[in-house]
């Protein structure tokens, strides 16, 4: 079952925002997302939180300034996802801009299939073999849980600077410096910084320190703002909460992409994704650009993606982007095959009636690819509204399975795995993650035992309310608001995790429906409101992706409003998200 509820907002806040000059519809939407005063509307860079509030950021900047002075060799240890790749590129580019042009600055990305996640002792051994051997390792988007790796680096004479945003364990690694808004006693007001955001903050503090040392003035200092396109991409692709500080970073990054002031690699990614950078928005970053960059880490080697973000040569950028696009198409084929075999297995369970009793989904298959398990888990979680963990063989001995899980709001996945590991010590070999996503390793022979144990924990913690699909909407649109101008107005805003894209809800008359490509429902609809009674309104085009079942002639629909441009003509289009079957018109 699905439950539909309207997002509440303060009329007082909406009126105040509207009186400040904000469009009435945006005033209502912003108020419903917690914006209370016009002061919060400004997304200028000067409104960013200060780096001095981020624990150890200033002292780390002092250390980095000394390292640059002495031209000591550095190596950035990245992660193999989009946040890690952009954080690495921001780190390399930023350090070179700030005086490291003659300093050896290398980078290394662990292979997700052989080395696992983070700064492991194996990764440290590999780092020590680089020429020249680095004196400092700088982690980006990882490292906060790498106690053993940091210890090994110290033994090998390499100091570690950790920049990360993940939650720490019970003990912090013995690093030379740790910058992480989620470490104990950090007063930084935005805990939602992505890994790339943390690295950007370190660079801003470093620039201030170098100004203090007389290396340059406000007028002559390098423009670190030119890296904000990468910061925006990493933040959106990592599904970081878009609090005001992150919205400032993303908004300014998008401004640069739209104005054509972005890295050659970013421009090439927009080109191969056939997206127009002049109208770039968070949807493009999250669903077109991010997946192409992520594909390298999923199926091949994220070094490819980082090389793309580091090149200033547009021909090389295009060639690398085309390779990433090819890998992403391969990823889609693998993902589709995995999803189909998972659905075939689950449909058997549905037929036998056991699926209805499940409050979680755990599956594995010897043919599945470990680089794609997270995406498949996400798709199945969306489809069945159950916490889902998908496993694949680890690729080394074949005796272990690596799993990636996705969860529902209200069911903390990492804590659930912790409960399983406490109930059955040794069942999970290793695990980590957060509320909505987690990764783990188990023995192949222990899969059934893990499935039963995880199912037990899910049954204990999940209520019927949590298992009911929630659709939170922003109410109805006025008939005068179904225009391309409103679609453009909405597309220009910074929506994302924690500041959700508006979904509207209302009554419609369905005048026509057909199937596109045999898998998407295409409709002509007319809004039915008290204001539209007796008027002749032109039908609107609506699309419901991956739905083949037809709708009744009158329906209550939840939808997004977008502007579609075809052959120079702009027209409004509804992207349907859900049908409220509990309401009969």
């Amino acid at each position: 079952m699905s439950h539909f509820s309207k997002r509440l907002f303060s009329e007082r806040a909406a009126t105040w925002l509207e009186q400040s000059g904000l469009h009435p519809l945006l005033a209502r939407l912003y108020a419903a997302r917690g914006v209370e005063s016009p002061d919060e509307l400004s997304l200028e860079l000067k409104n960013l939180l200060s780096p001095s509030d981020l624990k150890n950021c200033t002292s780390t900047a002092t250390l980095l300034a000394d390292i640059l002075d002495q031209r000591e060799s550095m190596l950035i240890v990245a992660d193999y996802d989009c946040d890690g790749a952009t954080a690495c590129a921001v780190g390399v580019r930023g350090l070179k801009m700030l005086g490291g042009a003659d300093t050896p600055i290398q980078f290394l990305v662990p292979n997700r299939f052989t080395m696992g996640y983070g700064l492991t002792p194996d990764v440290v051994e590999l780092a020590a073999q680089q020429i020249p051997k680095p004196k400092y390792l700088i982690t980006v988007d990882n490292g906060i849980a790498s106690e053993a790796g940091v210890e090994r680096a110290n033994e090998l004479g390499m100091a570690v600077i950790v920049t990360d945003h993940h939650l720490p364990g019970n003990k912090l690694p013995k690093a030379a410096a740790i910058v992480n808004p989620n470490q104990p006693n950090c007063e930084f007001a935005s805990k939602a910084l992505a890994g790339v955001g943390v690295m950007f903050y370190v660079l801003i503090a470093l620039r201030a320190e170098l100004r203090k040392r007389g290396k340059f003035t406000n007028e002559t200092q390098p423009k670190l703002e030119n890296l904000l396109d990468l910061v925006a991409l990493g933040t959106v692709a990592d599904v970081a909460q878009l609090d005001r500080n992150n919205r400032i970073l993303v908004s300014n990054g998008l401004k640069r992409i739209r104005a054509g002031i972005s890295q050659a690699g970013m421009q090439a990614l927009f080109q191969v994704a056939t997206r127009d950078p002049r109208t770039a928005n968070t949807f493009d970053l999250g669903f077109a650009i991010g997946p192409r960059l992520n594909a390298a880490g999923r199926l091949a080697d994220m070094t490819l993606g980082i090389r793309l973000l580091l090149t200033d040569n547009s021909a090389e950028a295009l060639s690398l982007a085309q390779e990433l696009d090819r890998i992403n198409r391969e990823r889609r084929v693998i993902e589709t095959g995995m999803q189909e075999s998972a659905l075939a297995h689950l449909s058997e369970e549905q037929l036998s009636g056991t699926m209805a009793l499940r409050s979680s989904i755990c599956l594995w298959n010897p043919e599945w690819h470990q680089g794609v398990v997270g995406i498949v888990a996400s798709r199945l979680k969306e489809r069945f509204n159950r916490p889902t963990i998908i496993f694949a063989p680890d690729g080394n001995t074949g005796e272990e399975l690596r799993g990636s899980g996705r969860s529902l709001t209200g069911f903390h996945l990492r804590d659930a795995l912790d409960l399983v590991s406490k109930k059955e010590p040794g069942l999970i070999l290793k695990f980590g993650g957060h509320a909505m996503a987690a990764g783990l390793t188990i023995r192949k022979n222990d899969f059934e035992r893990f499935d039963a144990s995880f199912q037990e924990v899910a049954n204990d913690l999940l209520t019927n309310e949590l298992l009911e699909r929630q659709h939170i909407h922003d109410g109805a649109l006025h008939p005068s608001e179904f225009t391309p101008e409103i679609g453009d107005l909405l597309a220009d805003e910074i929506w994302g995790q924690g500041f959700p894209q508006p979904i509207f809800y209302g009554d419609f008359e369905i005048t026509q429906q057909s199937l596109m490509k045999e898998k998407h429902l295409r409709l002509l609809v007319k809004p039915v409101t008290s204001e539209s009674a007796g008027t002749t309104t032109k039908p609107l085009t609506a699309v419901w992706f991956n739905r083949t079942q037809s709708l009744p002639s009158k329906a209550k629909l939840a939808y997004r409003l977008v502007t579609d441009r075809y052959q120079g003509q702009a027209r409004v289009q509804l992207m349907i998200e859900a049908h409220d079957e509990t309401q009969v018109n």
Side-chain angles (χ1 to χ4, degrees):
M1 281 295 289
S2 294
H3 178 69
F4 291 75
S5 58
K6 185 178 175 183
R7 197 175 269 112
L8 301 174
F9 66 94
S10 152
E11 293 278 4
R12 182 180 163 277
T15 305
W16 194 10
L17 294 171
E18 190 178 336
Q19 285 169 351
S20 76
L22 195 63
H23 187 283
L25 176 61
L26 287 183
R28 170 160 71 90
L29 296 172
Y30 269 49
R33 284 151 182 75
V35 176
E36 292 181 349
S37 77
D39 299 346
E40 297 172 57
L41 295 175
S42 170
L43 298 182
E44 289 177 39
L45 282 173
K46 65 179 183 187
N47 294 312
L48 274 178
L49 296 167
S50 167
S52 58
D53 298 338
L54 183 58
K55 186 179 177 182
N56 299 336
C57 194
T58 308
S59 57
T60 302
T62 307
L63 172 59
L64 283 168
D66 291 343
I67 295 169
L68 287 173
D69 256 354
Q70 291 147 22
R71 295 187 178 175
E72 303 280 16
S73 58
M74 292 176 268
L75 181 136
I76 294 179
V77 180
D79 181 26
Y80 38 68
D81 69 358
C82 196
D83 186 19
T86 52
C88 180
V90 164
V92 172
R93 281 184 174 279
L95 288 168
K96 286 190 178 294
M97 285 163 79
L98 293 170
D102 302 324
T103 304
I105 302 169
Q106 305 170 79
F107 72 87
L108 177 65
V109 194
N111 182 307
R112 82 188 292 160
F113 309 114
T114 57
M115 291 184 165
Y117 168 78
L119 186 72
T120 60
D122 284 353
V123 172
V124 171
E125 299 283 351
L126 189 58
Q129 291 163 28
Q130 306 301 305
I131 299 170
K133 179 187 170 184
K135 190 148 183 199
Y136 290 89
L137 303 182
I138 302 169
T139 70
V140 290
D141 191 33
N142 74 90
I144 197 66
S146 303
E147 277 181 78
V150 171
E151 199 173 311
R152 184 64 186 133
N154 293 339
E155 286 168 7
L156 292 173
M158 298 181 292
V160 181
I161 296 169
V162 170
T163 76
D164 199 355
H165 67 126
H166 292 97
L167 296 174
N170 297 328
K171 281 170 71 182
L172 294 179
K174 293 187 171 68
I178 298 176
V179 186
N180 181 339
N182 291 301
Q183 68 180 304
N185 306 316
C186 181
E187 302 298 319
F188 195 67
S190 171
K191 302 298 180 191
L193 270 185
V196 68
V198 176
M199 189 66 225
F200 185 70
Y201 258 82
V202 169
L203 293 172
I204 289 186
L206 173 57
R207 185 172 69 176
E209 173 61 25
L210 294 172
R211 262 198 325 265
K212 217 182 335 177
R213 295 185 184 196
K215 298 286 183 190
F216 30 66
T217 65
N218 277 339
E219 289 71 39
T220 63
Q221 68 183 9
K223 288 185 163 45
L224 290 175
E225 311 83 85
N226 288 340
L227 300 174
L228 281 166
D229 59 330
L230 299 176
V231 178
L233 173 58
T235 301
V236 171
D238 213 48
V239 202
Q241 289 279 333
L242 292 189
D243 58 15
R244 187 188 181 197
N245 206 60
N246 274 343
R247 289 208 322 282
I248 291 171
L249 293 171
V250 172
S251 169
N252 283 280
L254 279 171
K255 264 185 205 161
R256 281 164 170 72
I257 295 170
R258 289 170 184 170
I261 320 165
S262 59
Q263 318 305 322
M266 183 73 77
Q267 292 174 35
L269 284 168
F270 267 87
Q271 191 177 331
V272 298
T274 61
R275 298 284 173 136
D276 185 352
R278 292 169 300 181
T279 56
N281 56 33
T282 47
F283 189 85
D284 291 330
L285 296 183
F287 294 95
I289 308 306
R292 282 171 171 79
L293 195 57
N294 263 331
R298 291 191 186 283
L299 299 192
D301 179 357
M302 190 43 107
T303 304
L304 192 69
I306 296 170
R307 277 177 52 213
L308 169 71
L309 301 180
L310 287 176
T311 184
D312 292 321
N313 179 311
S314 52
E316 185 189 6
L318 186 57
S319 166
L320 289 166
Q322 285 166 339
E323 176 63 4
L324 287 177
D325 190 53
R326 185 196 63 74
I327 295 169
N328 192 50
R329 285 198 299 275
E330 187 186 331
R331 185 270 304 167
R332 279 195 203 131
V333 170
I334 293 169
E335 179 200 329
T336 303
M338 285 170 63
Q339 212 173 313
E340 282 171 1
S341 65
L343 288 171
H345 179 90
L346 291 171
S347 66
E348 284 174 25
E349 287 206 6
Q350 280 176 309
L351 288 172
S352 67
T354 52
M355 184 64 192
L357 306 172
R358 275 189 167 277
S359 50
S360 66
I361 294 171
C362 289
L363 296 172
W364 87 278
N365 185 307
E367 303 300 315
W368 287 351
H369 193 295
Q370 61 168 281
V372 186
V373 286
I375 305 179
V376 174
S378 186
R379 300 274 193 264
L380 295 179
K381 185 269 291 188
E382 288 299 322
R383 184 162 183 150
F384 295 101
N385 207 48
R386 297 283 185 274
T388 301
I389 303 177
I390 300 297
F391 291 89
D394 76 339
N396 290 336
T397 62
E399 294 308 307
E400 291 178 0
L401 300 177
R402 283 198 194 162
S404 188
R406 298 294 182 269
S407 191
L408 315 175
T409 303
F411 181 77
H412 196 298
L413 189 53
R414 192 215 163 270
D415 287 358
L417 293 175
D418 196 35
L419 279 173
V420 172
S421 74
K422 285 185 169 75
K423 278 184 169 182
E424 302 209 38
L427 176 59
I428 302 179
L429 302 176
K430 55 186 175 191
F431 70 95
H434 47 85
M436 301 302 283
L440 69 158
T441 304
I442 62 172
R443 292 177 196 85
K444 187 167 70 177
N445 296 339
D446 286 339
F447 174 78
E448 279 77 14
R449 193 156 65 98
F450 172 81
D451 184 15
S453 188
F454 184 69
Q455 178 73 12
E456 202 177 294
V457 168
N459 285 339
D460 289 347
L461 297 179
L462 283 162
T463 61
N464 287 337
E465 287 76 26
L466 288 173
L467 289 171
E468 195 174 64
R469 197 179 292 277
Q470 302 293 321
H471 292 286
I472 300 171
H473 60 80
D474 290 289
L477 282 175
H478 188 274
S480 65
E481 292 175 320
F482 288 95
T483 66
E485 291 73 26
I486 293 291
D488 286 339
L489 183 78
L490 295 172
D492 276 346
E493 296 301 305
I494 307 299
W495 312 110
Q497 188 72 12
F499 205 81
Q501 190 170 23
I503 290 179
F504 303 103
Y505 175 83
D507 292 319
F508 289 89
E509 187 185 326
I510 317 288
T511 61
Q512 199 178 307
Q513 43 192 325
S514 58
L515 280 184
M516 291 191 308
K517 297 181 181 175
E518 296 183 8
K519 61 177 185 175
H520 310 301
L521 198 56
R522 187 179 186 278
L523 312 156
L524 285 181
V525 302
K526 283 185 181 179
V528 179
T529 64
S530 53
E531 293 94 336
S532 66
T535 61
T536 14
T537 51
K538 201 174 160 194
L540 304 167
T541 306
V543 177
W544 193 340
F545 285 113
N546 299 310
R547 160 116 180 180
T548 53
Q549 196 183 340
S550 61
L551 289 169
S553 60
K554 288 189 176 174
K556 276 192 182 291
L557 302 175
Y559 59 92
R560 290 184 293 113
L561 188 81
V562 300
T563 298
D564 181 44
R565 283 184 168 77
Y566 182 66
Q567 294 183 341
Q569 290 291 308
R571 54 182 188 154
V572 74
Q573 193 171 54
L574 311 190
M575 312 305 276
I576 301 174
E577 298 282 327
H579 168 216
D580 188 349
E581 297 174 41
T582 62
Q583 299 291 318
V584 180
N585 293 73

